[in-house]
């Protein structure tokens, strides 16, 4: 099956700083890749996704590019806001098992 | 649409008691998933259903846990008897795509505390 590894947090940034959260995966074949976000006290929400190599997913200023050669799907944002403070989960979809495999989550804290 | 609905939002119970968590998926979704989230183990898939049929329950911790989906609009996760180590946030999620449930919509979760 798939496995997903994320950088451990927490990641603490000042407002307007550049964000990178690293994510790598191992999988058979070419899984679809996702970033989900969990705000305090809420369930996970889909942030963005990419379904094939070199695809770029983007939403709300966040983006991630599916890199087959490095098996990575790093999340980036050029200028973070306090409201971006949340836990971010990278995930890979296993076509064979119909399951999403989640990474451990990375907590982002943005200070004013 | 109201999204995935879970109840209760918070549950506090004593060890040995039966606990039932409830979920109403988004109307028209074919898949339903139950997850458990803890600090130590992160997000774990417990079981998932397709068209009300359990497909994979390999994540269910032990016989104390059971899940049912009697119809397309309702599912339950039951723990009997409950233990302190069951304390966690339990999420239900549903997915709209038959054959490829790669995008999931999560409910707000039920925070369970077993004393």
């Amino acid at each position: 099956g798939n496995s997903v590894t994320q950088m451990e947090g927490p990641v603490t940034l000042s407002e307007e700083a550049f964000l990178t959260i690293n994510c790598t995966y191992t999988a058979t074949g070419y899984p679809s890749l996702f970033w989900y976000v969990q705000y305090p006290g809420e369930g996970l929400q889909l942030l963005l996704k990419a379904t094939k190599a070199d695809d770029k997913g983007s939403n709300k200023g966040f983006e991630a590019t599916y890199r087959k050669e490095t098996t990575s799907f790093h999340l980036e944002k050029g200028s973070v806001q306090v409201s971006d403070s949340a836990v971010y989960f990278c995930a890979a979809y296993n076509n064979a098992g119909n399951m999403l495999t989640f990474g451990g989550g990375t907590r982002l804290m943005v200070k004013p | 649409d109201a999204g995935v609905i879970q109840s209760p939002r918070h549950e506090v119970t004593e060890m040995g008691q039966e606990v039932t968590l409830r979920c109403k998926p988004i109307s028209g979704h074919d898949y339903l998933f139950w997850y458990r989230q803890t600090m130590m183990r992160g997000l774990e898939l417990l079981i998932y259903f397709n068209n009300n049929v359990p497909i994979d329950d390999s994540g269910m911790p032990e016989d104390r846990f059971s899940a049912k989906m009697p119809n397309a609009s309702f599912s339950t996760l039951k723990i009997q008897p409950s233990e302190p180590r069951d304390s966690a946030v339990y999420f239900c999620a549903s997915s709209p795509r038959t054959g490829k449930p790669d995008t999931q919509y999560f409910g707000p979760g039920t925070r369970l505390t077993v004393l």
Side-chain angles (χ1 to χ4, degrees), chain B residues 83-103:
Chain B
E83 297 183 2
R85 60 190 167 128
D86 302 329
S87 297
V89 180
Y90 291 81
F91 289 103
C92 176
S94 67
S95 184
R97 297 184 64 176
T98 298
K100 193 175 182 182
D102 58 350
T103 299

Side-chain angles (χ1 to χ4, degrees), chain A residues 97-110:
Chain A
N98 284 334
M99 291 191 293
L100 272 178
T101 301
F102 288 91
T106 303
R107 182 176 299 278
L108 170 65
M109 298 170 58
V110 181

Side-chain angles (χ1 to χ4, degrees), chain A residues 24-85:
Chain A
T24 57
Y25 67 91
T26 58
T28 302
Y30 304 105
S32 296
L33 301 174
F34 302 80
W35 279 99
Y36 280 79
V37 58
Q38 184 180 29
Y39 298 103
E42 299 182 11
L44 280 70
Q45 304 173 22
L46 177 64
L47 180 60
L48 54 83
K49 72 178 193 181
T51 58
K52 60 183 187 295
D54 300 324
D55 267 3
K56 177 184 287 187
S58 61
N59 186 27
K60 300 181 181 179
F62 291 89
E63 59 182 35
T65 301
Y66 191 143
R67 301 289 188 196
K68 183 179 67 173
E69 61 276 10
T70 55
T71 62
S72 65
F73 193 55
H74 304 322
L75 182 69
E76 297 181 335
K77 186 175 185 182
S79 176
V80 294
Q81 305 300 312
V82 173
S83 57
D84 293 327
S85 298

Side-chain angles (χ1 to χ4, degrees), chain A residues 99-100, chain B residues 33-36 43-48 59-60:
Chain A
M99 291 191 293
L100 272 178
Chain B
F33 303 82
W34 282 101
Y35 291 90
R36 177 172 69 176
L43 196 63
E44 304 173 276
L45 176 65
L46 301 178
I47 185 172
Y48 81 92
M60 295 285 264

Side-chain angles (χ1 to χ4, degrees), chain B residues 31-107:
Chain B
Y31 285 84
L32 184 139
F33 303 82
W34 282 101
Y35 291 90
R36 177 172 69 176
Q37 185 180 42
T38 61
M39 290 293 292
M40 292 296 295
R41 301 171 71 94
L43 196 63
E44 304 173 276
L45 176 65
L46 301 178
I47 185 172
Y48 81 92
F49 297 81
N50 178 212
N51 292 323
N52 314 335
V53 176
I55 303 300
D56 187 338
D57 65 354
S58 59
M60 295 285 264
E62 49 198 271
D63 292 345
R64 297 184 298 106
F65 285 68
S66 62
K68 295 181 179 180
M69 192 166 185
N71 58 62
S73 59
F74 183 66
S75 177
T76 60
L77 178 68
K78 185 176 293 185
I79 308 173
Q80 166 63 20
S82 58
E83 297 183 2
R85 60 190 167 128
D86 302 329
S87 297
V89 180
Y90 291 81
F91 289 103
C92 176
S94 67
S95 184
R97 297 184 64 176
T98 298
K100 193 175 182 182
D102 58 350
T103 299
Q104 298 181 12
Y105 296 79
F106 283 73

